[in-house]
Amino acid sequence: MRSPSLKRAIDIVGSSLGLLVASVPMAVLAVLIRRDLGKPVLFRQVRPGMGAEPFTLIKFRTMRSGAGTDAERLTPLGRFVRSLSLDEVPELWNVLRGDMSLVGPRPLLPSYVERYNARQARRHEVRPGLTGLAQVEGRNALSWEDRFELDVQYVDTWSVRLDLAIIARTVWLVLKREGIAADGHATMPEFQGENR
């Protein structure tokens, strides 16, 4: 069933419950991050949302500031936080606000938008998600091409039933800690576009 209003209702209820349940663990994690990295505890970055409209994504910080690659700046605590996807929990606020959905293509960097071909750009036809089809089919172990193809497949086939199945699979995969990063990267290498 493809019901945008039901999808949004699930987003509101799911993100509200998630924020409520996670409030104490988030507070504990905030204290640990503050002790490990100092201020700020939260990482904010502009990302393209539905229609490629920009919004401010909120995550827990996992890296030191300064020079070096992402992998070099990732702290031991940050590595642990990422292994359980705990850095993504504050994004529930983005879902509640309507910037994101519980399920959809992951929001990537604004600089990527001009590098997409016409098919890849279709990932912006829906709200970006906390998790998505690409995340349960391989996460950051996928190539960019495979990842974008799964994003477009989601755009074409999404339904409430598919969303619920993706959420259930996400919980299982987070516990297994698979596909967290591509080899030699904190997450994935930068997407350069097809002809770069």
Side-chain angles (χ1 to χ4, degrees), residues 19-30:
L19 287 167
L20 183 64
V21 169
S23 59
V24 173
M26 284 174 66
V28 171
L29 187 53

Side-chain angles (χ1 to χ4, degrees), residues 106-170:
R106 285 292 297 157
L108 300 174
L109 296 174
S111 59
Y112 291 4
V113 173
E114 64 183 18
R115 301 176 190 175
Y116 296 145
N117 62 34
R119 182 166 176 79
Q120 292 165 346
R122 293 193 58 220
R123 68 194 312 278
H124 293 295
E125 292 178 14
V126 296
R127 282 189 181 97
L130 196 59
T131 185
L133 188 58
Q135 281 59 55
V136 299
E137 293 292 343
R139 204 172 173 183
N140 292 327
L142 295 171
S143 69
W144 281 115
E145 291 73 19
D146 289 343
R147 184 171 176 167
F148 292 144
E149 193 57 37
L150 286 164
D151 288 343
V152 175
Q153 183 181 327
Y154 175 80
V155 169
D156 288 336
T157 63
W158 78 265
S159 67
V160 171
R161 184 174 181 177
L162 178 60
D163 281 5
L164 295 175
I166 289 172
I167 291 168
R169 287 182 66 190
T170 297

Side-chain angles (χ1 to χ4, degrees), residues 30-164:
V31 170
L32 294 174
I33 292 170
R34 172 72 186 276
R35 187 185 67 186
D36 191 47
L37 292 169
K39 291 182 178 180
V41 168
L42 295 175
F43 170 78
R44 292 176 171 85
Q45 188 176 54
V46 173
R47 299 285 177 95
M50 189 162 71
E53 287 297 314
F55 72 97
T56 302
L57 180 83
I58 305 169
K59 300 172 69 169
F60 278 123
R61 271 184 73 202
T62 56
M63 298 183 198
R64 295 184 185 90
S65 301
T69 65
D70 286 355
E72 291 167 344
R73 294 185 297 115
L74 190 63
T75 67
L77 174 63
R79 192 170 290 107
F80 172 76
V81 167
R82 285 190 176 202
S83 74
L84 290 173
S85 298
L86 297 175
D87 57 317
E88 312 284 356
V89 175
E91 290 172 41
L92 287 167
W93 176 246
N94 289 117
V95 175
L96 186 61
R97 282 174 43 93
D99 302 322
M100 294 175 61
S101 178
L102 291 174
V103 182
R106 285 292 297 157
L108 300 174
L109 296 174
S111 59
Y112 291 4
V113 173
E114 64 183 18
R115 301 176 190 175
Y116 296 145
N117 62 34
R119 182 166 176 79
Q120 292 165 346
R122 293 193 58 220
R123 68 194 312 278
H124 293 295
E125 292 178 14
V126 296
R127 282 189 181 97
L130 196 59
T131 185
L133 188 58
Q135 281 59 55
V136 299
E137 293 292 343
R139 204 172 173 183
N140 292 327
L142 295 171
S143 69
W144 281 115
E145 291 73 19
D146 289 343
R147 184 171 176 167
F148 292 144
E149 193 57 37
L150 286 164
D151 288 343
V152 175
Q153 183 181 327
Y154 175 80
V155 169
D156 288 336
T157 63
W158 78 265
S159 67
V160 171
R161 184 174 181 177
L162 178 60
D163 281 5
L164 295 175

